[in-house]
Amino acid sequence: MINVYIARQVAAKDMQPCLICSKPTVTVLYNASGPDWLYTCDIHLHDNPHFATPIYNDEYQEALDKLKMLKAQVGKLSAADKPASWDGWVSQIFIKKPKKDDEDANEDKDKDKDKDKDKDKDKDKDKELKNQADEKKQADSLKECQQKYNQQIDLVTSLQKKSRKYKLSDVTFNSRVQRKKNERIQAERRRKEQEMYSTTDPEEIAKKFAFPTVPNNSIK
Ligand SMILES: [Zn+2]
């Protein structure tokens, strides 16, 4: 028996209790190589690695890799975005205002100095505009990246929902294998018992009857 189970839905009339919590469920995990099957509610099937983990195909893995890459990009861009807006905010609120006071104070003193100041002011203005443009560009690419990331999440989620293959945890699978073995032993025992009861010769019965749990004198 290999550890690959396919989740299937049965009709409501065929509901059976979940293996773990006994809640009636229509979801059954079927293993053709057993064959083996067990019922499980959705809560115990999803996000429950102690019981089972999904087996995803390559398409899902690729989508997941891309999602990770986009997440890293969003993280990088939003980290770069924060100090930039902080700088912009600082220059607007704190740096600009004292400068204006300076200009007012200098106004009466030296006109040449004022001209220099104006030049500086223009330079500052250019710089500010450039910073604002950069910030906008960064904000745009962050927005774009975030959008791509959101779309990728939707894709990964839909692929996740489509996936029907599961692998049981080692403990669960081993217990299924053991169960299967016991079933076989019991079937063999039943077969022998059947054979035994079909014969009427007491001596032959006594010979075949090898189960110590049943007293010999019960058969006459
Ligand atoms: Zn359950």
Side-chain angles (χ1 to χ4, degrees):
M1 185 154 86
I2 54 162
N3 191 355
V4 176
Y5 287 75
I6 310 289
R8 289 182 180 172
Q9 307 285 316
V10 298
K13 67 174 174 60
D14 297 322
M15 259 192 182
Q16 295 270 327
C18 164
L19 186 75
I20 299 165
C21 69
S22 299
K23 179 184 179 290
T25 173
V26 293
T27 305
V28 58
L29 289 180
Y30 181 75
N31 184 342
S33 73
D36 183 36
W37 60 90
L38 49 98
Y39 285 78
T40 167
C41 72
D42 286 344
I43 287 190
H44 284 112
L45 181 57
H46 301 302
D47 301 318
N48 190 15
H50 295 300
F51 174 58
T53 43
I55 302 172
Y56 292 122
N57 59 12
D58 291 347
E59 190 189 6
Y60 176 83
Q61 286 303 339
E62 278 162 25
L64 197 67
D65 288 346
K66 200 178 165 195
L67 182 72
K68 279 179 195 158
M69 200 190 75
L70 284 168
K71 188 173 166 55
Q73 248 172 41
V74 169
K76 225 195 269 174
L77 282 172
S78 59
D81 185 48
K82 267 166 204 157
S85 6
W86 170 249
D87 277 353
W89 190 67
V90 167
S91 61
Q92 271 169 31
I93 302 297
F94 292 109
I95 301 171
K96 220 172 167 186
K97 221 176 175 183
K99 225 177 235 169
K100 211 185 157 209
D101 288 346
D102 271 357
E103 280 155 20
D104 286 344
N106 286 337
E107 211 169 15
D108 302 328
K109 287 180 185 172
D110 195 346
K111 280 197 175 177
D112 286 345
K113 214 177 178 182
D114 271 357
K115 263 183 197 163
D116 283 349
K117 271 257 160 216
D118 283 348
K119 248 188 234 164
D120 282 352
K121 210 168 122 191
D122 285 349
K123 241 190 241 165
D124 283 352
K125 216 171 193 173
D126 283 352
K127 213 171 151 190
E128 205 175 284
L129 281 173
K130 197 183 168 293
N131 276 344
Q132 273 172 2
D134 283 352
E135 271 172 41
K136 197 179 172 298
K137 225 161 110 189
Q138 205 150 35
D140 282 351
S141 60
L142 173 62
K143 212 171 145 189
E144 206 178 292
C145 200
Q146 181 73 47
Q147 215 162 24
K148 272 190 202 160
Y149 175 73
N150 293 349
Q151 280 166 359
Q152 195 66 16
I153 284 186
D154 288 347
L155 176 66
V156 167
T157 311
S158 80
L159 287 174
Q160 224 172 42
K161 274 184 190 156
K162 253 198 272 173
S163 179
R164 300 244 137 260
K165 260 191 207 172
Y166 289 86
K167 177 181 185 288
L168 297 186
S169 71
D170 288 346
V171 172
T172 313
F173 185 63
N174 288 339
S175 82
R176 299 308 294 181
V177 170
Q178 195 55 50
R179 192 173 174 275
K180 210 76 214 157
K181 248 185 223 165
N182 292 343
E183 264 174 19
R184 266 200 297 273
I185 291 168
Q186 267 166 24
E188 179 69 7
R189 187 177 291 173
R190 267 198 302 275
R191 194 186 61 78
K192 274 187 180 159
E193 274 173 3
Q194 211 64 49
E195 209 178 85
M196 189 177 65
Y197 290 128
S198 64
T199 168
T200 46
D201 180 1
E203 257 183 56
E204 215 176 304
I205 291 170
K207 248 195 278 170
K208 277 184 183 173
F209 199 79
F211 303 110
T213 48
V214 182
N216 275 333
N217 59 6
S218 68
I219 298 161
K220 282 192 176 156

Short mmCIF file of all heavy atoms in Angstrom, two decimals, residues 17-23 25 39-45, ligand 1:
data_model
loop_
_atom_site.label_atom_id
_atom_site.label_comp_id
_atom_site.label_asym_id
_atom_site.label_seq_id
_atom_site.Cartn_x
_atom_site.Cartn_y
_atom_site.Cartn_z
N PRO A 17 -18.96 9.16 10.13
CA PRO A 17 -18.27 10.02 11.09
C PRO A 17 -16.80 10.24 10.73
O PRO A 17 -16.14 9.35 10.20
CB PRO A 17 -18.38 9.26 12.41
CG PRO A 17 -18.86 7.92 12.09
CD PRO A 17 -19.45 7.91 10.72
N CYS A 18 -16.30 11.46 11.01
CA CYS A 18 -14.89 11.78 10.82
C CYS A 18 -14.06 10.86 11.73
O CYS A 18 -14.43 10.62 12.87
CB CYS A 18 -14.66 13.25 11.18
SG CYS A 18 -12.93 13.69 11.43
N LEU A 19 -12.96 10.36 11.19
CA LEU A 19 -12.09 9.45 11.93
C LEU A 19 -11.58 10.08 13.23
O LEU A 19 -11.35 9.39 14.23
CB LEU A 19 -10.89 9.08 11.04
CG LEU A 19 -9.92 8.03 11.56
CD1 LEU A 19 -10.50 6.64 11.46
CD2 LEU A 19 -8.60 8.12 10.82
N ILE A 20 -11.40 11.40 13.21
CA ILE A 20 -10.80 12.07 14.35
C ILE A 20 -11.85 12.59 15.35
O ILE A 20 -11.74 12.37 16.54
CB ILE A 20 -9.89 13.23 13.87
CG1 ILE A 20 -8.76 12.65 13.00
CG2 ILE A 20 -9.29 13.98 15.05
CD1 ILE A 20 -8.02 13.68 12.19
N CYS A 21 -12.87 13.28 14.83
CA CYS A 21 -13.80 13.94 15.76
C CYS A 21 -15.21 13.35 15.73
O CYS A 21 -16.08 13.80 16.48
CB CYS A 21 -13.87 15.43 15.47
SG CYS A 21 -14.68 15.83 13.92
N SER A 22 -15.45 12.39 14.85
CA SER A 22 -16.76 11.71 14.76
C SER A 22 -17.89 12.56 14.20
O SER A 22 -19.03 12.15 14.17
CB SER A 22 -17.19 11.15 16.12
OG SER A 22 -16.25 10.23 16.55
N LYS A 23 -17.58 13.78 13.75
CA LYS A 23 -18.61 14.59 13.12
C LYS A 23 -18.94 13.97 11.76
O LYS A 23 -18.03 13.62 11.00
CB LYS A 23 -18.05 16.00 12.92
CG LYS A 23 -18.99 16.97 12.24
CD LYS A 23 -18.25 18.29 12.01
CE LYS A 23 -19.11 19.32 11.31
NZ LYS A 23 -19.38 18.99 9.91
N THR A 25 -19.46 13.38 7.99
CA THR A 25 -18.83 14.10 6.88
C THR A 25 -19.04 13.34 5.57
O THR A 25 -19.22 12.12 5.57
CB THR A 25 -17.33 14.29 7.14
OG1 THR A 25 -16.72 14.85 5.99
CG2 THR A 25 -16.63 12.98 7.45
N TYR A 39 -12.95 8.39 6.47
CA TYR A 39 -13.74 9.63 6.41
C TYR A 39 -13.09 10.69 7.28
O TYR A 39 -12.55 10.38 8.35
CB TYR A 39 -15.17 9.37 6.87
CG TYR A 39 -15.98 8.65 5.83
CD1 TYR A 39 -15.84 7.28 5.64
CD2 TYR A 39 -16.86 9.35 5.01
CE1 TYR A 39 -16.57 6.61 4.67
CE2 TYR A 39 -17.59 8.70 4.04
CZ TYR A 39 -17.44 7.33 3.86
OH TYR A 39 -18.16 6.68 2.90
N THR A 40 -13.12 11.91 6.80
CA THR A 40 -12.56 13.00 7.59
C THR A 40 -13.35 14.28 7.33
O THR A 40 -13.75 14.54 6.20
CB THR A 40 -11.07 13.23 7.26
OG1 THR A 40 -10.65 14.47 7.83
CG2 THR A 40 -10.79 13.26 5.78
N CYS A 41 -13.59 15.06 8.37
CA CYS A 41 -14.26 16.34 8.18
C CYS A 41 -13.23 17.32 7.59
O CYS A 41 -12.02 17.08 7.66
CB CYS A 41 -14.83 16.86 9.49
SG CYS A 41 -13.61 17.45 10.65
N ASP A 42 -13.71 18.42 7.04
CA ASP A 42 -12.80 19.36 6.38
C ASP A 42 -11.80 19.99 7.34
O ASP A 42 -10.65 20.22 6.99
CB ASP A 42 -13.59 20.45 5.65
CG ASP A 42 -14.24 19.88 4.39
OD1 ASP A 42 -13.81 18.78 3.96
OD2 ASP A 42 -15.16 20.50 3.85
N ILE A 43 -12.26 20.25 8.56
CA ILE A 43 -11.34 20.86 9.54
C ILE A 43 -10.17 19.95 9.83
O ILE A 43 -9.02 20.40 9.89
CB ILE A 43 -12.11 21.20 10.84
CG1 ILE A 43 -13.01 22.40 10.58
CG2 ILE A 43 -11.14 21.45 12.00
CD1 ILE A 43 -13.64 22.99 11.78
N HIS A 44 -10.44 18.66 9.94
CA HIS A 44 -9.34 17.75 10.26
C HIS A 44 -8.50 17.37 9.05
O HIS A 44 -7.40 16.85 9.21
CB HIS A 44 -9.88 16.53 11.00
CG HIS A 44 -10.20 16.87 12.41
ND1 HIS A 44 -11.49 16.88 12.90
CD2 HIS A 44 -9.40 17.30 13.42
CE1 HIS A 44 -11.45 17.29 14.17
NE2 HIS A 44 -10.21 17.55 14.49
N LEU A 45 -9.01 17.67 7.87
CA LEU A 45 -8.23 17.39 6.67
C LEU A 45 -7.28 18.53 6.35
O LEU A 45 -6.13 18.31 5.96
CB LEU A 45 -9.18 17.14 5.48
CG LEU A 45 -8.50 16.81 4.14
CD1 LEU A 45 -7.60 15.59 4.27
CD2 LEU A 45 -9.56 16.57 3.07
ZN ZN B 1 -13.12 15.97 12.30
#
